[in-house]
Each structure stands twice: as structure tokens, then as C-alpha cells.
Amino acid sequence: TKSLINKQAILYEHFKMKGVPSDEELSAMTHEERVLLMKRFRGRGYGLFSAAFGTIAGLTGGLWSSIGWGAIGVGVGASMGILCAGRLSLSAANKINEVDMKIMGGGIVEA
């Protein structure tokens, strides 16, 4: 597990400012590195979805007594950016999976 932690740290340092790597960068990685990166993007996407639904519930519940039905619009509007960021992160994970399938010549990688 120590080598896995080191690989995660290296991947984090390399991609923390760049975002989604290009196809050439993904091709230069090993299969394990691509799977690790895909898990990171997928986990980030699911986490952002959870945060967005928490924002919807929190704002709607907190503002319901003040503005009534309009609280739903406030909650959805406030969480829209978080939902979009989560969707982009899941799209990046799918892109990494597609490139990995092309390189490995196999089926869908379970992560």
C-alpha cells in the first residue's frame, strides 16, 4: 500500500492544476495509474453530487419558513454549479476509462 500512496501523491501533484490529462498523457501512464486517476475523478464527482444534494436540502429546509416554495428554487439554483462540477468530474472519469479501454483492448474497467 505504500507504493500506492506514493503513486497517488505523484498523480495528485502532476494533475492538481492541469485538470483532465490529454490522451497522450494518459497513453504514457501505466494501467494502474489510469485506474487510480479514474477512481479519483469518479470519487470527486460523487462527492460533489452529495454536496449539491446537501445544499439543496439545507437551503430549502432553512428558508422554507421564510419564503415558502421559493426556497426550492434557491436551493436548486445555489447547487447548480456544484452539480455541473460533479458531472464534469464524472465525464473526465469516463474519458479516462475510454482511453484505457482503447489501450488495453478490453472491456469496461471496474473502479
Side-chain angles (χ1 to χ4, degrees):
T1 59
K2 190 169 187 170
S3 65
L4 182 65
I5 293 171
N6 290 339
K7 285 182 183 179
Q8 285 180 335
I10 291 168
L11 286 173
Y12 176 75
E13 287 299 317
H14 183 67
F15 293 112
K16 72 179 176 183
M17 296 302 290
K18 295 173 81 177
V20 183
S22 66
D23 289 353
E24 294 81 26
E25 289 174 322
L26 288 171
S27 299
M29 292 179 178
T30 65
H31 171 69
E32 290 80 19
E33 290 172 336
R34 286 189 299 270
V35 170
L36 189 65
L37 192 63
M38 180 178 56
K39 285 181 180 180
R40 182 178 301 269
F41 276 105
R42 191 169 284 162
R44 183 183 303 157
Y46 290 143
L48 286 168
F49 276 148
S50 298
F53 289 123
T55 302
I56 291 171
L59 282 173
T60 302
L63 293 174
W64 188 265
S65 62
S66 301
I67 59 176
W69 289 97
I72 295 172
V74 172
V76 170
S79 67
M80 196 54 62
I82 304 170
L83 283 170
C84 291
R87 178 63 189 123
L88 288 173
S89 187
L90 289 176
S91 295
N94 290 338
K95 176 192 172 209
I96 294 168
N97 190 26
E98 288 174 12
V99 171
D100 192 59
M101 286 189 322
K102 280 189 227 174
I103 292 170
M104 299 301 289
I108 295 175
V109 177
E110 288 298 322

